Amino acid sequence: MKYMTDKLKVTGLDGVIAGETAISTLNNGLHYRGYAIEELARDATFTEVAYLLLHGELPTEESLADFRAILAESDEVPDAVIQLLHELPLHIAPIDVLRTSISALGHFDLQANENDVIANLGKAIRLLSHIPVLIAARYRLTRGLELVEPDSELSFAGNFLSLLHGRLPSARDERALERTLICYADHEFNASTFTARIVASTGSDLQSAVTAAVGALKGALHGGAIENVWEEIQQVQSPSDAERFVRDAISKKRRIAGFGHRVYRDCPDPRAELLKEVSQELATTDEQQQLEEIADVIEAAMWQHKQLRPNVDWPTARIYHSLGFDAELFTPLFAAARVIGWSAHFIEQQSANRLIQPRSNYVGAMPRPFVPLHDRG
Ligand SMILES: CC(C)(COP(=O)(O)OP(=O)(O)OC[C@H]1O[C@@H](n2cnc3c(N)ncnc32)[C@H](O)[C@@H]1OP(=O)(O)O)[C@@H](O)C(=O)NCCC(=O)NCCS
């Protein structure tokens, strides 16, 4: 097949400003609606951050209580979607099951055909509430475990941990998960968010945009990287083996997941720095402490040989392992947080919309006469 790819200049839209947003920025550190990620991850709950991203302002105590009450009222997943989780074959990856079940949820949403801001805020809240239930239900069903009822008294992260593990989490684990979710909630025009905005710009619905965004997220260069981080770090037996691992990857021109970033080239990814501390705090067993040492050696070697720094997925894979999650849950956990960013961007795009339709530079065959089938050699 002739694709003539040697002629194509591959830019990946690097550095292109593709639009405006008031939701988050990576300029001078990561900020959500003007608030620094460091302060949010230290002092806010994920639910406050979700409110901030969706509504533009931090909630008051009263509005937060209302928001939590609406989240709690919205956690019931339609039986037909739970049935679908039973029926999808076991080999299907959790992130693919999540994508399919989010699409299916759209059929049962009472506001499916409404596309105004209020309806979309309602849909976003329902998705935020449903996604942990979907992830945990599939996880437990495939292991023959009883499903756990959501507990609205718990924090978002506490409820998520309890849905998955079937027991109340420690305050330390709850806070650690919460901090990762805050860091994952939004990140300007990343690939999955831009996907959601393109879908929004056509006048389509939120569930379609989030379904498409999950499809974009799962790729190995984007959110799917976190599962590869775990696979790779497991191949390293000891800190003394770590330097060899990096050299070997570089000599084979193989990328190491969890390193490099399209935007954070001359500065660290602030989320990676923040979450490294969390990962270190959680590392109490010998195995976890050795993983921290291995991670340190790999970081130093990647800097020495490629001048590449870790991105958010690098420490988060270790955090999720410490919290007792299997690697196949890592990308779904990312999606459970990023759904807030996708929804906020969807609403912003539709509130000030023009169809997103760029042009391409044509480098293919020049116009030529059509050759009838019987004359083609
Ligand atoms: C995130 C990522 C896709 C950004 O890609 P990008 O902006 O297109 O960067 P480029 O492809 O231009 O890479 C620039 C150079 O760094 C190298 N590089 C980038 N990431 C690398 C990695 N993780 N491991 C090894 N080398 C890497 C490239 O090979 C290239 O080297 P070269 O100039 O010698 O060819 C890329 O860094 C990557 O693939 N990282 C691993 C996947 C990952 O962790 N994704 C999650 C991102 S949050």
mmCIF file of all heavy atoms in Angstrom, residues 1 3 10 22 24 34 36 50 60 88-89 112 116 145 147 154 160 174 176 178 197 238 240 249 256 280 321 330:
data_model
loop_
_atom_site.group_PDB
_atom_site.id
_atom_site.type_symbol
_atom_site.label_atom_id
_atom_site.label_comp_id
_atom_site.label_asym_id
_atom_site.label_seq_id
_atom_site.Cartn_x
_atom_site.Cartn_y
_atom_site.Cartn_z
ATOM 1 N N MET A 1 0.854 -1.194 0.000
ATOM 2 C CA MET A 1 0.000 0.000 0.000
ATOM 3 C C MET A 1 0.892 1.248 0.000
ATOM 4 O O MET A 1 1.878 1.295 0.723
ATOM 5 C CB MET A 1 -0.873 -0.009 1.245
ATOM 6 C CG MET A 1 -2.172 0.704 1.069
ATOM 7 S SD MET A 1 -3.132 0.703 2.579
ATOM 8 C CE MET A 1 -3.669 -0.995 2.630
ATOM 9 N N TYR A 3 1.387 4.834 1.030
ATOM 10 C CA TYR A 3 0.899 5.960 1.834
ATOM 11 C C TYR A 3 1.765 7.204 1.669
ATOM 12 O O TYR A 3 1.436 8.255 2.144
ATOM 13 C CB TYR A 3 0.808 5.574 3.314
ATOM 14 C CG TYR A 3 -0.540 4.974 3.660
ATOM 15 C CD1 TYR A 3 -0.676 3.603 3.810
ATOM 16 C CD2 TYR A 3 -1.651 5.783 3.789
ATOM 17 C CE1 TYR A 3 -1.909 3.054 4.105
ATOM 18 C CE2 TYR A 3 -2.882 5.247 4.082
ATOM 19 C CZ TYR A 3 -3.025 3.878 4.244
ATOM 20 O OH TYR A 3 -4.245 3.341 4.534
ATOM 21 N N VAL A 10 5.767 15.677 9.954
ATOM 22 C CA VAL A 10 4.932 15.287 11.091
ATOM 23 C C VAL A 10 5.148 16.290 12.224
ATOM 24 O O VAL A 10 6.189 16.291 12.867
ATOM 25 C CB VAL A 10 5.291 13.860 11.556
ATOM 26 C CG1 VAL A 10 4.340 13.409 12.651
ATOM 27 C CG2 VAL A 10 5.225 12.896 10.383
ATOM 28 N N ALA A 22 -10.513 29.391 29.519
ATOM 29 C CA ALA A 22 -10.381 30.032 30.836
ATOM 30 C C ALA A 22 -10.357 28.957 31.925
ATOM 31 O O ALA A 22 -10.542 29.265 33.100
ATOM 32 C CB ALA A 22 -11.551 30.982 31.055
ATOM 33 N N SER A 24 -7.884 26.074 32.384
ATOM 34 C CA SER A 24 -6.578 25.797 33.002
ATOM 35 C C SER A 24 -5.474 26.278 32.076
ATOM 36 O O SER A 24 -5.702 26.475 30.880
ATOM 37 C CB SER A 24 -6.409 24.296 33.279
ATOM 38 O OG SER A 24 -6.357 23.585 32.061
ATOM 39 N N GLY A 34 -6.996 29.723 37.726
ATOM 40 C CA GLY A 34 -6.173 30.686 38.465
ATOM 41 C C GLY A 34 -5.526 30.140 39.718
ATOM 42 O O GLY A 34 -4.649 30.795 40.300
ATOM 43 N N ALA A 36 -3.094 27.591 41.785
ATOM 44 C CA ALA A 36 -1.921 26.732 41.516
ATOM 45 C C ALA A 36 -2.211 25.292 41.926
ATOM 46 O O ALA A 36 -2.804 25.046 42.985
ATOM 47 C CB ALA A 36 -0.718 27.260 42.293
ATOM 48 N N ALA A 50 -13.439 19.633 41.406
ATOM 49 C CA ALA A 50 -14.418 19.337 40.348
ATOM 50 C C ALA A 50 -15.401 20.503 40.223
ATOM 51 O O ALA A 50 -15.722 20.963 39.123
ATOM 52 C CB ALA A 50 -15.154 18.034 40.667
ATOM 53 N N THR A 60 -18.566 27.590 48.098
ATOM 54 C CA THR A 60 -18.711 27.926 49.513
ATOM 55 C C THR A 60 -19.066 26.626 50.237
ATOM 56 O O THR A 60 -19.360 25.601 49.589
ATOM 57 C CB THR A 60 -19.874 28.907 49.712
ATOM 58 O OG1 THR A 60 -21.060 28.262 49.233
ATOM 59 C CG2 THR A 60 -19.638 30.209 48.961
ATOM 60 N N LEU A 88 -19.913 -8.278 28.901
ATOM 61 C CA LEU A 88 -18.757 -8.050 28.028
ATOM 62 C C LEU A 88 -17.689 -9.094 28.343
ATOM 63 O O LEU A 88 -17.404 -9.371 29.512
ATOM 64 C CB LEU A 88 -18.206 -6.629 28.235
ATOM 65 C CG LEU A 88 -19.106 -5.520 27.684
ATOM 66 C CD1 LEU A 88 -18.591 -4.143 28.092
ATOM 67 C CD2 LEU A 88 -19.205 -5.609 26.160
ATOM 68 N N PRO A 89 -17.088 -9.713 27.300
ATOM 69 C CA PRO A 89 -16.133 -10.796 27.548
ATOM 70 C C PRO A 89 -14.991 -10.371 28.479
ATOM 71 O O PRO A 89 -14.580 -9.203 28.504
ATOM 72 C CB PRO A 89 -15.597 -11.114 26.151
ATOM 73 C CG PRO A 89 -16.636 -10.631 25.211
ATOM 74 C CD PRO A 89 -17.308 -9.471 25.877
ATOM 75 N N ALA A 112 -30.740 13.195 27.665
ATOM 76 C CA ALA A 112 -29.880 12.837 26.519
ATOM 77 C C ALA A 112 -30.002 13.825 25.361
ATOM 78 O O ALA A 112 -29.013 14.135 24.700
ATOM 79 C CB ALA A 112 -30.213 11.427 26.045
ATOM 80 N N ASP A 116 -28.108 22.227 26.688
ATOM 81 C CA ASP A 116 -27.806 23.541 27.260
ATOM 82 C C ASP A 116 -26.860 23.367 28.451
ATOM 83 O O ASP A 116 -26.596 22.243 28.893
ATOM 84 C CB ASP A 116 -29.098 24.259 27.692
ATOM 85 C CG ASP A 116 -29.886 23.413 28.660
ATOM 86 O OD1 ASP A 116 -30.691 22.558 28.200
ATOM 87 O OD2 ASP A 116 -29.669 23.556 29.874
ATOM 88 N N LEU A 145 -16.482 -11.092 42.922
ATOM 89 C CA LEU A 145 -16.729 -10.435 44.224
ATOM 90 C C LEU A 145 -18.086 -9.727 44.201
ATOM 91 O O LEU A 145 -18.546 -9.275 43.148
ATOM 92 C CB LEU A 145 -15.618 -9.405 44.508
ATOM 93 C CG LEU A 145 -14.198 -9.965 44.583
ATOM 94 C CD1 LEU A 145 -13.168 -8.826 44.551
ATOM 95 C CD2 LEU A 145 -14.036 -10.778 45.863
ATOM 96 N N LEU A 147 -20.765 -6.801 44.573
ATOM 97 C CA LEU A 147 -20.659 -5.358 44.333
ATOM 98 C C LEU A 147 -20.870 -4.598 45.645
ATOM 99 O O LEU A 147 -21.581 -5.062 46.535
ATOM 100 C CB LEU A 147 -21.684 -4.902 43.306
ATOM 101 C CG LEU A 147 -21.605 -5.566 41.928
ATOM 102 C CD1 LEU A 147 -22.381 -4.752 40.896
ATOM 103 C CD2 LEU A 147 -20.161 -5.712 41.472
ATOM 104 N N LEU A 154 -18.692 9.270 52.467
ATOM 105 C CA LEU A 154 -17.239 9.302 52.240
ATOM 106 C C LEU A 154 -16.881 10.384 51.224
ATOM 107 O O LEU A 154 -17.728 10.833 50.448
ATOM 108 C CB LEU A 154 -16.761 7.937 51.713
ATOM 109 C CG LEU A 154 -16.962 6.737 52.632
ATOM 110 C CD1 LEU A 154 -16.551 5.442 51.923
ATOM 111 C CD2 LEU A 154 -16.142 6.908 53.906
ATOM 112 N N PHE A 160 -14.471 5.788 46.267
ATOM 113 C CA PHE A 160 -13.872 5.043 45.147
ATOM 114 C C PHE A 160 -13.083 3.843 45.695
ATOM 115 O O PHE A 160 -13.219 2.707 45.222
ATOM 116 C CB PHE A 160 -12.945 5.999 44.382
ATOM 117 C CG PHE A 160 -12.779 5.685 42.920
ATOM 118 C CD1 PHE A 160 -12.344 6.675 42.050
ATOM 119 C CD2 PHE A 160 -13.060 4.426 42.405
ATOM 120 C CE1 PHE A 160 -12.181 6.433 40.691
ATOM 121 C CE2 PHE A 160 -12.893 4.157 41.036
ATOM 122 C CZ PHE A 160 -12.456 5.166 40.195
ATOM 123 N N GLU A 174 -6.736 7.443 51.268
ATOM 124 C CA GLU A 174 -7.787 8.277 50.698
ATOM 125 C C GLU A 174 -7.194 9.594 50.182
ATOM 126 O O GLU A 174 -7.450 10.025 49.063
ATOM 127 C CB GLU A 174 -8.795 8.544 51.820
ATOM 128 C CG GLU A 174 -10.001 9.297 51.417
ATOM 129 C CD GLU A 174 -10.935 9.479 52.628
ATOM 130 O OE1 GLU A 174 -10.793 8.738 53.642
ATOM 131 O OE2 GLU A 174 -11.781 10.361 52.571
ATOM 132 N N ALA A 176 -4.066 10.185 49.440
ATOM 133 C CA ALA A 176 -3.118 9.950 48.342
ATOM 134 C C ALA A 176 -3.879 9.834 47.013
ATOM 135 O O ALA A 176 -3.503 10.457 46.012
ATOM 136 C CB ALA A 176 -2.312 8.679 48.605
ATOM 137 N N GLU A 178 -6.814 10.989 46.364
ATOM 138 C CA GLU A 178 -7.417 12.291 46.087
ATOM 139 C C GLU A 178 -6.411 13.231 45.408
ATOM 140 O O GLU A 178 -6.747 13.944 44.455
ATOM 141 C CB GLU A 178 -7.876 12.895 47.404
ATOM 142 C CG GLU A 178 -8.647 14.160 47.245
ATOM 143 C CD GLU A 178 -9.839 14.168 48.190
ATOM 144 O OE1 GLU A 178 -9.605 14.166 49.391
ATOM 145 O OE2 GLU A 178 -10.971 14.168 47.728
ATOM 146 N N ARG A 197 -13.343 18.571 22.730
ATOM 147 C CA ARG A 197 -13.736 19.894 22.222
ATOM 148 C C ARG A 197 -14.143 19.809 20.751
ATOM 149 O O ARG A 197 -15.050 20.523 20.311
ATOM 150 C CB ARG A 197 -12.596 20.908 22.423
ATOM 151 C CG ARG A 197 -12.400 21.275 23.894
ATOM 152 C CD ARG A 197 -11.508 22.496 24.070
ATOM 153 N NE ARG A 197 -12.238 23.720 23.790
ATOM 154 C CZ ARG A 197 -12.425 24.727 24.640
ATOM 155 N NH1 ARG A 197 -11.923 24.662 25.873
ATOM 156 N NH2 ARG A 197 -13.083 25.809 24.287
ATOM 157 N N SER A 238 16.497 -4.432 40.488
ATOM 158 C CA SER A 238 17.134 -3.755 41.631
ATOM 159 C C SER A 238 17.659 -2.397 41.174
ATOM 160 O O SER A 238 17.806 -2.168 39.962
ATOM 161 C CB SER A 238 18.310 -4.599 42.125
ATOM 162 O OG SER A 238 19.295 -4.609 41.115
ATOM 163 N N SER A 240 20.578 -1.375 41.096
ATOM 164 C CA SER A 240 21.814 -1.506 40.303
ATOM 165 C C SER A 240 21.504 -1.932 38.858
ATOM 166 O O SER A 240 22.343 -1.774 37.970
ATOM 167 C CB SER A 240 22.765 -2.505 40.963
ATOM 168 O OG SER A 240 22.090 -3.731 41.115
ATOM 169 N N ALA A 249 17.242 0.725 26.710
ATOM 170 C CA ALA A 249 16.098 1.340 26.004
ATOM 171 C C ALA A 249 16.603 2.395 25.029
ATOM 172 O O ALA A 249 16.163 2.449 23.873
ATOM 173 C CB ALA A 249 15.139 1.964 27.024
ATOM 174 N N ILE A 256 10.792 5.291 27.089
ATOM 175 C CA ILE A 256 10.434 4.805 28.420
ATOM 176 C C ILE A 256 9.190 5.576 28.860
ATOM 177 O O ILE A 256 9.206 6.815 28.938
ATOM 178 C CB ILE A 256 11.598 4.986 29.411
ATOM 179 C CG1 ILE A 256 12.787 4.139 28.937
ATOM 180 C CG2 ILE A 256 11.162 4.599 30.824
ATOM 181 C CD1 ILE A 256 13.953 4.082 29.894
ATOM 182 N N GLN A 280 6.537 8.580 47.806
ATOM 183 C CA GLN A 280 7.537 8.305 48.854
ATOM 184 C C GLN A 280 6.872 8.124 50.220
ATOM 185 O O GLN A 280 7.249 7.264 50.995
ATOM 186 C CB GLN A 280 8.579 9.425 48.899
ATOM 187 C CG GLN A 280 9.516 9.368 47.700
ATOM 188 C CD GLN A 280 10.429 10.588 47.590
ATOM 189 O OE1 GLN A 280 10.119 11.653 48.118
ATOM 190 N NE2 GLN A 280 11.550 10.432 46.892
ATOM 191 N N HIS A 321 -0.094 1.404 42.607
ATOM 192 C CA HIS A 321 0.298 0.059 43.057
ATOM 193 C C HIS A 321 0.244 -0.008 44.590
ATOM 194 O O HIS A 321 -0.284 -0.964 45.164
ATOM 195 C CB HIS A 321 1.703 -0.266 42.551
ATOM 196 C CG HIS A 321 2.240 -1.544 43.102
ATOM 197 N ND1 HIS A 321 1.721 -2.770 42.757
ATOM 198 C CD2 HIS A 321 3.223 -1.793 44.011
ATOM 199 C CE1 HIS A 321 2.362 -3.720 43.419
ATOM 200 N NE2 HIS A 321 3.282 -3.162 44.186
ATOM 201 N N PHE A 330 -5.232 1.522 36.100
ATOM 202 C CA PHE A 330 -4.587 2.836 36.209
ATOM 203 C C PHE A 330 -5.190 3.868 35.231
ATOM 204 O O PHE A 330 -5.455 5.010 35.618
ATOM 205 C CB PHE A 330 -3.076 2.724 35.949
ATOM 206 C CG PHE A 330 -2.291 1.946 36.985
ATOM 207 C CD1 PHE A 330 -2.896 1.324 38.074
ATOM 208 C CD2 PHE A 330 -0.906 1.837 36.862
ATOM 209 C CE1 PHE A 330 -2.153 0.608 39.011
ATOM 210 C CE2 PHE A 330 -0.152 1.129 37.796
ATOM 211 C CZ PHE A 330 -0.769 0.514 38.862
#
